[in-house]
PDB file of all heavy atoms in Angstrom:
ATOM      1  N   GLN A  95      77.386   3.914  21.332  1.00  0.00           N
ATOM      2  CA  GLN A  95      76.180   4.546  21.668  1.00  0.00           C
ATOM      3  C   GLN A  95      76.388   5.209  23.024  1.00  0.00           C
ATOM      4  O   GLN A  95      76.523   4.576  24.016  1.00  0.00           O
ATOM      5  CB  GLN A  95      75.057   3.545  21.765  1.00  0.00           C
ATOM      6  CG  GLN A  95      73.698   4.156  22.111  1.00  0.00           C
ATOM      7  CD  GLN A  95      73.190   5.070  21.130  1.00  0.00           C
ATOM      8  OE1 GLN A  95      73.038   4.734  19.963  1.00  0.00           O
ATOM      9  NE2 GLN A  95      72.798   6.323  21.519  1.00  0.00           N
ATOM     10  N   TRP A  96      76.299   6.574  23.110  1.00  0.00           N
ATOM     11  CA  TRP A  96      76.465   7.163  24.369  1.00  0.00           C
ATOM     12  C   TRP A  96      75.244   7.048  25.154  1.00  0.00           C
ATOM     13  O   TRP A  96      74.098   7.139  24.691  1.00  0.00           O
ATOM     14  CB  TRP A  96      76.693   8.659  24.151  1.00  0.00           C
ATOM     15  CG  TRP A  96      78.131   8.888  23.562  1.00  0.00           C
ATOM     16  CD1 TRP A  96      78.371   8.786  22.239  1.00  0.00           C
ATOM     17  CD2 TRP A  96      79.272   9.232  24.280  1.00  0.00           C
ATOM     18  NE1 TRP A  96      79.782   9.093  22.081  1.00  0.00           N
ATOM     19  CE2 TRP A  96      80.366   9.296  23.272  1.00  0.00           C
ATOM     20  CE3 TRP A  96      79.586   9.484  25.576  1.00  0.00           C
ATOM     21  CZ2 TRP A  96      81.615   9.654  23.678  1.00  0.00           C
ATOM     22  CZ3 TRP A  96      80.880   9.761  25.942  1.00  0.00           C
ATOM     23  CH2 TRP A  96      81.894   9.802  24.916  1.00  0.00           C
ATOM     24  N   THR A  97      75.423   6.750  26.525  1.00  0.00           N
ATOM     25  CA  THR A  97      74.225   6.634  27.310  1.00  0.00           C
ATOM     26  C   THR A  97      73.986   7.866  28.160  1.00  0.00           C
ATOM     27  O   THR A  97      73.098   7.866  29.009  1.00  0.00           O
ATOM     28  CB  THR A  97      74.425   5.351  28.266  1.00  0.00           C
ATOM     29  OG1 THR A  97      75.649   5.578  28.938  1.00  0.00           O
ATOM     30  CG2 THR A  97      74.496   4.087  27.436  1.00  0.00           C
ATOM     31  N   SER A  98      74.821   8.855  27.984  1.00  0.00           N
ATOM     32  CA  SER A  98      74.599  10.126  28.785  1.00  0.00           C
ATOM     33  C   SER A  98      75.085  11.204  27.686  1.00  0.00           C
ATOM     34  O   SER A  98      75.707  10.887  26.632  1.00  0.00           O
ATOM     35  CB  SER A  98      75.497  10.186  29.996  1.00  0.00           C
ATOM     36  OG  SER A  98      76.866  10.052  29.642  1.00  0.00           O
ATOM     37  N   GLU A  99      74.925  12.393  28.005  1.00  0.00           N
ATOM     38  CA  GLU A  99      75.326  13.549  27.247  1.00  0.00           C
ATOM     39  C   GLU A  99      76.906  13.603  27.226  1.00  0.00           C
ATOM     40  O   GLU A  99      77.415  13.892  28.231  1.00  0.00           O
ATOM     41  CB  GLU A  99      74.787  14.857  27.608  1.00  0.00           C
ATOM     42  CG  GLU A  99      75.044  15.973  26.632  1.00  0.00           C
ATOM     43  CD  GLU A  99      74.283  17.216  27.050  1.00  0.00           C
ATOM     44  OE1 GLU A  99      73.351  17.231  27.715  1.00  0.00           O
ATOM     45  OE2 GLU A  99      74.761  18.247  26.711  1.00  0.00           O
ATOM     46  N   ALA A 100      77.585  13.319  26.083  1.00  0.00           N
ATOM     47  CA  ALA A 100      79.040  13.289  26.039  1.00  0.00           C
ATOM     48  C   ALA A 100      79.745  14.618  26.540  1.00  0.00           C
ATOM     49  O   ALA A 100      80.755  14.393  27.231  1.00  0.00           O
ATOM     50  CB  ALA A 100      79.446  13.029  24.627  1.00  0.00           C
ATOM     51  N   SER A 101      79.103  15.585  26.296  1.00  0.00           N
ATOM     52  CA  SER A 101      79.825  16.977  26.717  1.00  0.00           C
ATOM     53  C   SER A 101      79.673  17.155  28.250  1.00  0.00           C
ATOM     54  O   SER A 101      80.429  18.039  28.815  1.00  0.00           O
ATOM     55  CB  SER A 101      79.178  18.081  26.057  1.00  0.00           C
ATOM     56  OG  SER A 101      77.822  18.306  26.253  1.00  0.00           O
ATOM     57  N   ARG A 102      78.872  16.321  28.963  1.00  0.00           N
ATOM     58  CA  ARG A 102      78.830  16.435  30.330  1.00  0.00           C
ATOM     59  C   ARG A 102      79.585  15.279  31.121  1.00  0.00           C
ATOM     60  O   ARG A 102      80.001  15.434  32.178  1.00  0.00           O
ATOM     61  CB  ARG A 102      77.337  16.480  30.877  1.00  0.00           C
ATOM     62  CG  ARG A 102      76.605  17.689  30.436  1.00  0.00           C
ATOM     63  CD  ARG A 102      75.404  17.822  31.097  1.00  0.00           C
ATOM     64  NE  ARG A 102      74.842  19.119  30.694  1.00  0.00           N
ATOM     65  CZ  ARG A 102      73.465  19.393  30.917  1.00  0.00           C
ATOM     66  NH1 ARG A 102      72.727  18.558  31.521  1.00  0.00           N
ATOM     67  NH2 ARG A 102      72.969  20.523  30.470  1.00  0.00           N
ATOM     68  N   SER A 103      79.594  14.151  30.421  1.00  0.00           N
ATOM     69  CA  SER A 103      80.165  12.993  31.099  1.00  0.00           C
ATOM     70  C   SER A 103      81.631  12.745  30.679  1.00  0.00           C
ATOM     71  O   SER A 103      82.408  12.060  31.381  1.00  0.00           O
ATOM     72  CB  SER A 103      79.424  11.666  30.752  1.00  0.00           C
ATOM     73  OG  SER A 103      79.296  11.425  29.439  1.00  0.00           O
ATOM     74  N   CYS A 104      82.062  13.183  29.468  1.00  0.00           N
ATOM     75  CA  CYS A 104      83.427  12.874  28.962  1.00  0.00           C
ATOM     76  C   CYS A 104      84.247  14.153  29.122  1.00  0.00           C
ATOM     77  O   CYS A 104      83.884  15.295  28.560  1.00  0.00           O
ATOM     78  CB  CYS A 104      83.353  12.338  27.541  1.00  0.00           C
ATOM     79  SG  CYS A 104      84.948  12.359  26.806  1.00  0.00           S
ATOM     80  N   PRO A 105      85.410  14.183  29.854  1.00  0.00           N
ATOM     81  CA  PRO A 105      86.179  15.439  29.935  1.00  0.00           C
ATOM     82  C   PRO A 105      86.762  15.945  28.664  1.00  0.00           C
ATOM     83  O   PRO A 105      86.941  17.141  28.432  1.00  0.00           O
ATOM     84  CB  PRO A 105      87.294  14.981  30.877  1.00  0.00           C
ATOM     85  CG  PRO A 105      86.869  13.812  31.614  1.00  0.00           C
ATOM     86  CD  PRO A 105      85.936  13.144  30.711  1.00  0.00           C
ATOM     87  N   VAL A 106      87.043  15.080  27.650  1.00  0.00           N
ATOM     88  CA  VAL A 106      87.475  15.451  26.363  1.00  0.00           C
ATOM     89  C   VAL A 106      86.425  16.210  25.615  1.00  0.00           C
ATOM     90  O   VAL A 106      86.698  17.298  25.118  1.00  0.00           O
ATOM     91  CB  VAL A 106      87.962  14.216  25.561  1.00  0.00           C
ATOM     92  CG1 VAL A 106      88.290  14.607  24.131  1.00  0.00           C
ATOM     93  CG2 VAL A 106      89.193  13.531  26.255  1.00  0.00           C
ATOM     94  N   PHE A 107      85.303  15.696  25.626  1.00  0.00           N
ATOM     95  CA  PHE A 107      84.058  16.333  24.947  1.00  0.00           C
ATOM     96  C   PHE A 107      83.779  17.692  25.729  1.00  0.00           C
ATOM     97  O   PHE A 107      83.471  18.643  25.013  1.00  0.00           O
ATOM     98  CB  PHE A 107      82.866  15.555  24.850  1.00  0.00           C
ATOM     99  CG  PHE A 107      82.821  14.684  23.631  1.00  0.00           C
ATOM    100  CD1 PHE A 107      83.486  13.338  23.578  1.00  0.00           C
ATOM    101  CD2 PHE A 107      82.123  15.004  22.495  1.00  0.00           C
ATOM    102  CE1 PHE A 107      83.427  12.604  22.539  1.00  0.00           C
ATOM    103  CE2 PHE A 107      82.138  14.255  21.338  1.00  0.00           C
ATOM    104  CZ  PHE A 107      82.758  12.954  21.344  1.00  0.00           C
ATOM    105  N   ALA A 108      83.831  17.666  27.072  1.00  0.00           N
ATOM    106  CA  ALA A 108      83.524  18.865  27.824  1.00  0.00           C
ATOM    107  C   ALA A 108      84.548  20.045  27.527  1.00  0.00           C
ATOM    108  O   ALA A 108      84.165  21.157  27.326  1.00  0.00           O
ATOM    109  CB  ALA A 108      83.689  18.540  29.301  1.00  0.00           C
ATOM    110  N   ALA A 109      85.812  19.646  27.312  1.00  0.00           N
ATOM    111  CA  ALA A 109      86.822  20.645  27.002  1.00  0.00           C
ATOM    112  C   ALA A 109      86.584  21.235  25.607  1.00  0.00           C
ATOM    113  O   ALA A 109      86.740  22.468  25.377  1.00  0.00           O
ATOM    114  CB  ALA A 109      88.202  19.991  27.096  1.00  0.00           C
ATOM    115  N   HIS A 110      86.249  20.333  24.708  1.00  0.00           N
ATOM    116  CA  HIS A 110      85.813  20.779  23.353  1.00  0.00           C
ATOM    117  C   HIS A 110      84.680  21.799  23.347  1.00  0.00           C
ATOM    118  O   HIS A 110      84.789  22.817  22.675  1.00  0.00           O
ATOM    119  CB  HIS A 110      85.439  19.478  22.487  1.00  0.00           C
ATOM    120  CG  HIS A 110      85.323  19.709  21.050  1.00  0.00           C
ATOM    121  ND1 HIS A 110      86.349  19.732  20.201  1.00  0.00           N
ATOM    122  CD2 HIS A 110      84.143  19.834  20.362  1.00  0.00           C
ATOM    123  CE1 HIS A 110      85.895  20.009  18.989  1.00  0.00           C
ATOM    124  NE2 HIS A 110      84.612  20.022  19.062  1.00  0.00           N
ATOM    125  N   VAL A 111      83.673  21.528  24.114  1.00  0.00           N
ATOM    126  CA  VAL A 111      82.559  22.462  24.230  1.00  0.00           C
ATOM    127  C   VAL A 111      82.994  23.716  24.914  1.00  0.00           C
ATOM    128  O   VAL A 111      82.513  24.792  24.588  1.00  0.00           O
ATOM    129  CB  VAL A 111      81.357  21.755  24.972  1.00  0.00           C
ATOM    130  CG1 VAL A 111      80.251  22.728  25.417  1.00  0.00           C
ATOM    131  CG2 VAL A 111      80.798  20.619  24.029  1.00  0.00           C
ATOM    132  N   ALA A 112      83.867  23.696  26.090  1.00  0.00           N
ATOM    133  CA  ALA A 112      84.227  24.776  26.715  1.00  0.00           C
ATOM    134  C   ALA A 112      85.121  25.753  25.857  1.00  0.00           C
ATOM    135  O   ALA A 112      85.142  26.910  26.061  1.00  0.00           O
ATOM    136  CB  ALA A 112      85.054  24.376  27.915  1.00  0.00           C
ATOM    137  N   ALA A 113      85.678  25.092  24.853  1.00  0.00           N
ATOM    138  CA  ALA A 113      86.478  25.974  23.946  1.00  0.00           C
ATOM    139  C   ALA A 113      85.615  26.655  22.816  1.00  0.00           C
ATOM    140  O   ALA A 113      86.010  27.246  21.965  1.00  0.00           O
ATOM    141  CB  ALA A 113      87.608  25.113  23.233  1.00  0.00           C
ATOM    142  N   GLY A 114      84.366  26.391  22.971  1.00  0.00           N
ATOM    143  CA  GLY A 114      83.327  27.019  21.975  1.00  0.00           C
ATOM    144  C   GLY A 114      83.012  26.157  20.802  1.00  0.00           C
ATOM    145  O   GLY A 114      82.401  26.802  19.798  1.00  0.00           O
ATOM    146  N   ARG A 115      83.391  25.014  20.800  1.00  0.00           N
ATOM    147  CA  ARG A 115      83.238  24.175  19.604  1.00  0.00           C
ATOM    148  C   ARG A 115      82.015  23.246  19.841  1.00  0.00           C
ATOM    149  O   ARG A 115      81.734  22.768  20.981  1.00  0.00           O
ATOM    150  CB  ARG A 115      84.442  23.261  19.217  1.00  0.00           C
ATOM    151  CG  ARG A 115      85.611  24.185  18.852  1.00  0.00           C
ATOM    152  CD  ARG A 115      86.805  23.410  18.393  1.00  0.00           C
ATOM    153  NE  ARG A 115      87.346  22.640  19.457  1.00  0.00           N
ATOM    154  CZ  ARG A 115      88.394  22.996  20.230  1.00  0.00           C
ATOM    155  NH1 ARG A 115      88.948  24.095  20.044  1.00  0.00           N
ATOM    156  NH2 ARG A 115      88.837  22.185  21.113  1.00  0.00           N
TER     157      ARG A 115
END
Side-chain angles (χ1 to χ4, degrees):
Q95 178 67 52
W96 290 83
T97 57
S98 60
E99 190 175 333
S101 61
R102 291 193 180 165
S103 60
C104 172
V106 172
F107 273 86
H110 189 77
V111 170
R115 295 184 296 263

